[in-house]
Short mmCIF file of all heavy atoms in Angstrom, two decimals:
data_model
loop_
_atom_site.label_atom_id
_atom_site.label_comp_id
_atom_site.label_asym_id
_atom_site.label_seq_id
_atom_site.Cartn_x
_atom_site.Cartn_y
_atom_site.Cartn_z
N GLY A 738 4.53 -8.49 13.95
CA GLY A 738 4.76 -8.37 15.44
C GLY A 738 3.64 -8.47 16.31
O GLY A 738 3.82 -8.56 17.63
N ALA A 739 2.49 -8.40 15.81
CA ALA A 739 1.20 -8.37 16.70
C ALA A 739 1.19 -9.65 17.60
O ALA A 739 1.59 -10.76 17.29
CB ALA A 739 0.04 -8.21 15.92
N TRP A 740 0.46 -9.41 18.79
CA TRP A 740 0.30 -10.52 19.75
C TRP A 740 1.60 -10.89 20.52
O TRP A 740 1.45 -11.38 21.56
CB TRP A 740 -0.34 -11.71 19.13
CG TRP A 740 -1.80 -11.67 18.68
CD1 TRP A 740 -2.25 -11.82 17.30
CD2 TRP A 740 -2.86 -11.35 19.48
NE1 TRP A 740 -3.53 -11.68 17.35
CE2 TRP A 740 -4.02 -11.37 18.52
CE3 TRP A 740 -3.13 -11.07 20.64
CZ2 TRP A 740 -5.32 -11.12 19.09
CZ3 TRP A 740 -4.37 -10.78 21.16
CH2 TRP A 740 -5.47 -10.78 20.28
N MET A 741 2.66 -10.75 19.96
CA MET A 741 3.97 -11.10 20.57
C MET A 741 4.23 -10.18 21.77
O MET A 741 4.10 -8.95 21.71
CB MET A 741 5.16 -11.11 19.66
CG MET A 741 5.01 -12.01 18.42
SD MET A 741 5.84 -13.64 18.93
CE MET A 741 5.67 -14.44 17.34
N PRO A 742 4.61 -10.77 22.89
CA PRO A 742 4.98 -9.98 24.00
C PRO A 742 6.39 -9.21 23.75
O PRO A 742 7.12 -9.83 23.06
CB PRO A 742 5.08 -10.83 25.15
CG PRO A 742 5.30 -12.29 24.50
CD PRO A 742 4.66 -12.20 23.20
N ASP A 743 6.61 -8.18 24.27
CA ASP A 743 7.93 -7.52 24.23
C ASP A 743 9.01 -8.46 24.91
O ASP A 743 8.68 -9.11 25.90
CB ASP A 743 8.08 -6.27 24.85
CG ASP A 743 7.34 -5.15 24.10
OD1 ASP A 743 7.30 -5.23 22.88
OD2 ASP A 743 6.99 -4.08 24.67
N PRO A 744 10.16 -8.65 24.35
CA PRO A 744 10.57 -7.87 23.13
C PRO A 744 10.36 -8.61 21.83
O PRO A 744 10.87 -8.11 20.79
CB PRO A 744 12.18 -7.83 23.35
CG PRO A 744 12.44 -9.15 24.03
CD PRO A 744 11.20 -9.36 24.92
N PHE A 745 9.65 -9.64 21.87
CA PHE A 745 9.41 -10.52 20.61
C PHE A 745 8.68 -9.90 19.67
O PHE A 745 8.75 -10.14 18.42
CB PHE A 745 8.92 -11.88 21.08
CG PHE A 745 9.73 -12.59 22.20
CD1 PHE A 745 9.17 -12.81 23.35
CD2 PHE A 745 11.00 -12.98 22.05
CE1 PHE A 745 9.78 -13.49 24.32
CE2 PHE A 745 11.71 -13.57 23.03
CZ PHE A 745 11.04 -13.90 24.19
N GLY A 746 7.74 -8.90 19.95
CA GLY A 746 6.97 -8.18 18.94
C GLY A 746 7.68 -7.08 18.29
O GLY A 746 6.98 -6.47 17.34
N LYS A 747 8.95 -6.71 18.59
CA LYS A 747 9.57 -5.65 17.87
C LYS A 747 10.07 -6.18 16.56
O LYS A 747 11.20 -6.70 16.31
CB LYS A 747 10.77 -5.12 18.80
CG LYS A 747 10.38 -4.42 20.00
CD LYS A 747 11.53 -4.02 20.74
CE LYS A 747 11.20 -3.22 21.88
NZ LYS A 747 12.41 -2.62 22.72
N GLN A 748 9.08 -6.10 15.52
CA GLN A 748 9.43 -6.59 14.18
C GLN A 748 9.18 -5.44 13.07
O GLN A 748 8.25 -4.75 13.46
CB GLN A 748 8.57 -7.74 13.86
CG GLN A 748 8.94 -9.02 14.90
CD GLN A 748 8.12 -10.16 14.52
OE1 GLN A 748 7.48 -10.42 13.52
NE2 GLN A 748 7.92 -11.08 15.46
N PRO A 749 9.93 -5.53 12.14
CA PRO A 749 9.66 -4.38 11.16
C PRO A 749 8.51 -4.76 10.22
O PRO A 749 8.24 -5.88 9.92
CB PRO A 749 10.85 -4.29 10.37
CG PRO A 749 11.38 -5.90 10.37
CD PRO A 749 11.05 -6.37 11.81
N ASN A 750 7.77 -3.75 9.84
CA ASN A 750 6.83 -3.79 8.63
C ASN A 750 7.59 -3.70 7.40
O ASN A 750 8.77 -3.46 7.35
CB ASN A 750 5.70 -2.65 8.76
CG ASN A 750 5.09 -2.76 10.05
OD1 ASN A 750 4.63 -3.76 10.68
ND2 ASN A 750 4.78 -1.48 10.65
N SER A 751 6.87 -4.13 6.22
CA SER A 751 7.56 -3.99 4.96
C SER A 751 6.78 -3.36 3.92
O SER A 751 5.47 -3.64 3.86
CB SER A 751 7.93 -5.50 4.46
OG SER A 751 9.02 -6.02 5.06
N LEU A 752 7.32 -2.53 3.17
CA LEU A 752 6.68 -1.85 1.97
C LEU A 752 7.24 -2.58 0.73
O LEU A 752 8.50 -2.50 0.48
CB LEU A 752 6.88 -0.43 1.85
CG LEU A 752 6.31 0.35 0.49
CD1 LEU A 752 4.83 0.08 0.49
CD2 LEU A 752 6.66 1.82 0.58
N LEU A 753 6.54 -3.32 0.06
CA LEU A 753 6.93 -4.08 -1.14
C LEU A 753 6.45 -3.44 -2.39
O LEU A 753 5.26 -3.44 -2.79
CB LEU A 753 6.33 -5.52 -1.06
CG LEU A 753 6.70 -6.34 0.24
CD1 LEU A 753 6.11 -7.70 0.20
CD2 LEU A 753 8.26 -6.36 0.48
N ARG A 754 7.39 -3.00 -3.14
CA ARG A 754 7.12 -2.26 -4.42
C ARG A 754 6.78 -3.13 -5.53
O ARG A 754 7.62 -4.07 -5.75
CB ARG A 754 8.23 -1.27 -4.72
CG ARG A 754 8.06 -0.43 -5.95
CD ARG A 754 9.29 0.29 -6.32
NE ARG A 754 10.37 -0.46 -6.79
CZ ARG A 754 11.68 -0.34 -6.56
NH1 ARG A 754 12.07 0.82 -6.00
NH2 ARG A 754 12.64 -1.17 -6.92
N ASN A 755 5.60 -3.01 -6.22
CA ASN A 755 5.40 -3.73 -7.36
C ASN A 755 6.26 -3.12 -8.63
O ASN A 755 6.24 -1.96 -9.03
CB ASN A 755 3.92 -3.41 -7.73
CG ASN A 755 3.45 -4.32 -8.89
OD1 ASN A 755 4.24 -4.73 -9.75
ND2 ASN A 755 2.15 -4.62 -8.99
N ASN A 756 7.17 -3.87 -9.09
CA ASN A 756 8.11 -3.55 -10.09
C ASN A 756 7.56 -3.52 -11.49
O ASN A 756 8.17 -3.04 -12.48
CB ASN A 756 9.33 -4.43 -10.16
CG ASN A 756 10.14 -4.22 -8.90
OD1 ASN A 756 10.32 -3.15 -8.29
ND2 ASN A 756 10.65 -5.39 -8.36
N GLY A 757 6.35 -3.98 -11.62
CA GLY A 757 5.70 -3.88 -13.02
C GLY A 757 6.02 -5.08 -13.89
O GLY A 757 5.52 -5.15 -15.10
N ASN A 758 6.98 -5.93 -13.47
CA ASN A 758 7.23 -7.13 -14.27
C ASN A 758 7.05 -8.35 -13.69
O ASN A 758 7.68 -9.39 -14.01
CB ASN A 758 8.84 -6.89 -14.52
CG ASN A 758 9.72 -6.92 -13.34
OD1 ASN A 758 9.09 -7.02 -12.18
ND2 ASN A 758 10.98 -6.84 -13.50
N GLY A 759 6.12 -8.32 -12.71
CA GLY A 759 5.70 -9.62 -11.91
C GLY A 759 6.55 -9.81 -10.73
O GLY A 759 6.37 -10.74 -10.09
N THR A 760 7.43 -8.82 -10.39
CA THR A 760 8.25 -9.06 -9.21
C THR A 760 8.07 -7.84 -8.26
O THR A 760 7.45 -6.88 -8.65
CB THR A 760 9.78 -9.09 -9.49
OG1 THR A 760 10.18 -7.76 -10.01
CG2 THR A 760 10.00 -10.21 -10.46
N PHE A 761 8.41 -8.08 -6.91
CA PHE A 761 8.39 -7.15 -5.91
C PHE A 761 9.66 -6.93 -5.19
O PHE A 761 10.40 -7.82 -5.11
CB PHE A 761 7.26 -7.56 -4.89
CG PHE A 761 5.80 -7.55 -5.50
CD1 PHE A 761 5.38 -8.59 -6.16
CD2 PHE A 761 4.96 -6.47 -5.18
CE1 PHE A 761 4.06 -8.65 -6.74
CE2 PHE A 761 3.63 -6.46 -5.64
CZ PHE A 761 3.23 -7.61 -6.41
N SER A 762 9.81 -5.73 -4.78
CA SER A 762 11.15 -5.49 -4.11
C SER A 762 10.76 -4.76 -2.75
O SER A 762 9.76 -3.88 -2.68
CB SER A 762 12.01 -4.45 -4.80
OG SER A 762 12.39 -5.06 -6.05
N ASP A 763 11.43 -5.07 -1.57
CA ASP A 763 11.23 -4.39 -0.33
C ASP A 763 12.07 -3.09 -0.45
O ASP A 763 13.18 -2.96 -0.58
CB ASP A 763 11.83 -5.27 0.77
CG ASP A 763 11.42 -4.69 2.06
OD1 ASP A 763 11.79 -3.75 2.44
OD2 ASP A 763 10.83 -5.60 2.93
#
């Protein structure tokens, strides 16, 4: 969302969990 003027910058961040098998889950 950075640099974007409101309301376009209202974007979610993501935590992506490492599943230990080569994949990631949000």
Side-chain angles (χ1 to χ4, degrees):
W740 289 122
M741 294 273 184
D743 281 336
F745 307 115
K747 291 182 178 180
Q748 300 180 17
N750 302 318
S751 281
L752 177 60
L753 304 178
R754 183 185 64 211
N755 187 335
N756 295 320
N758 59 1
T760 68
F761 291 80
S762 297
D763 191 304

